[in-house]
Amino acid sequence: GDGGADAGSAVAVSAKEAADGAVVAALNARAVPLLLRAVRMHGQLREVTADAWRLLCSLMRGRGFVKKIAADGGAMGLLLPALRSHMRDAPTAAQLVLAVRMLLPAVPPKPFVLDGGVETLCDAVRAHPTGAVAGVGVRALQMLASLNDVVRASVLEAEVLRKLLVAIETVGARADADADGGASAAEEAALVGPTVGLVAQLARGDAPLLARLRLQAPAAEVLRLCVRQAGSEEVQADGARAL
């Protein structure tokens, strides 16, 4: 008897969870167009932009269907101009770059590339070569650089690697001094992984692109980063591909 009651309770809980899930999904589906409308109408206001995209990112996290609703609603077409407008403000730029990174798998890459998306991400990373903007922005560039030589050429043209390598060296020197209880070491690791990953994707380019890459990120420099992050399997794997 008790087993049947337990099973009945479990089914009732599962049904309630499923219903709750359906309600959440419906609310998400309705919230996305409202948030995009707010961005469309008040995108020039930094606070509105940051808050709206923060909410959109929380709705999109782990939910492919929400990303699709946002993408179909023209989210990327709003994001890139917003990032260009608010690029100087690091927290807002970080939020917008995160939104770009989350939306990328849901949008066709060609319009994004033609709309100057690669250059905009490069500009953001150059403006903020440490912290969240760089970490997330370089991950997005890594994803895009896997597409073709057109994208790889754009990334090399922007010379983001030079900025990143200087920033990593500065953060690394702070980490060696260990004046901030390991915070700089964590920041260095968060930059090195994406940077070596980007170099690995750029190394897939044709001979002229590879020659440009070696000028911006010499093999000795990539090797130094791999040694600095010897405990990271990801860095070692990407480093082997980059070299």
Side-chain angles (χ1 to χ4, degrees):
D2 285 351
D6 288 348
S9 301
V11 169
V13 168
S14 296
K16 184 181 183 313
E17 284 176 354
D20 288 348
V23 169
V24 169
L27 287 172
N28 286 347
R30 292 179 64 183
V32 171
L34 289 173
L35 288 166
L36 291 178
R37 186 162 171 255
V39 173
R40 227 175 241 112
M41 293 177 69
H42 307 291
Q44 75 280 9
L45 302 172
R46 185 171 54 77
E47 292 81 1
V48 173
T49 294
D51 288 345
W53 285 110
R54 191 174 298 111
L55 276 167
L56 280 161
C57 284
S58 68
L59 292 175
M60 290 191 294
R61 190 165 281 111
R63 300 187 184 102
F65 75 95
V66 179
K67 290 178 189 173
K68 183 163 179 5
I69 293 167
D72 292 349
M76 196 64 91
L78 295 169
L79 251 182
L80 289 177
L83 181 52
R84 290 174 194 129
S85 296
H86 303 295
M87 192 173 289
R88 293 288 142 202
D89 184 72
T92 305
Q95 187 59 62
L96 296 173
V97 168
L98 175 62
V100 171
R101 170 74 179 79
M102 291 178 81
L103 265 177
L104 271 178
V107 299
K110 192 171 181 182
F112 179 85
V113 172
L114 291 175
D115 197 19
V118 176
E119 289 82 359
T120 302
L121 280 172
C122 288
D123 288 344
V125 172
R126 279 209 316 264
H128 308 281
T130 59
V133 175
V136 178
V138 177
R139 286 278 182 220
L141 288 172
Q142 183 182 345
M143 188 192 295
L144 289 159
S146 69
L147 292 172
N148 55 44
D149 278 357
V150 173
V151 175
R152 293 178 198 121
S154 295
V155 175
L156 287 166
E157 188 70 35
E159 300 205 339
V160 281
L161 286 173
R162 290 189 196 278
K163 272 271 192 187
L164 285 166
L165 292 173
V166 169
I168 288 168
E169 194 171 343
T170 304
V171 173
R174 282 209 307 269
D176 291 343
D178 195 32
D180 51 11
S184 290
E187 187 179 2
E188 182 187 14
L191 284 173
V192 170
T195 301
V196 175
L198 177 59
V199 175
Q201 290 299 341
L202 294 173
R204 295 170 59 192
D206 62 18
L209 289 178
L210 197 54
R212 288 170 69 184
L213 173 62
R214 292 295 174 234
L215 287 173
Q216 292 183 29
E221 188 61 26
V222 177
L223 192 58
R224 190 183 72 80
L225 296 183
C226 292
V227 170
R228 293 277 303 180
Q229 300 298 325
S232 166
E233 288 181 19
E234 180 200 19
V235 171
Q236 300 313 307
D238 282 333
R241 280 192 285 272
L243 295 166

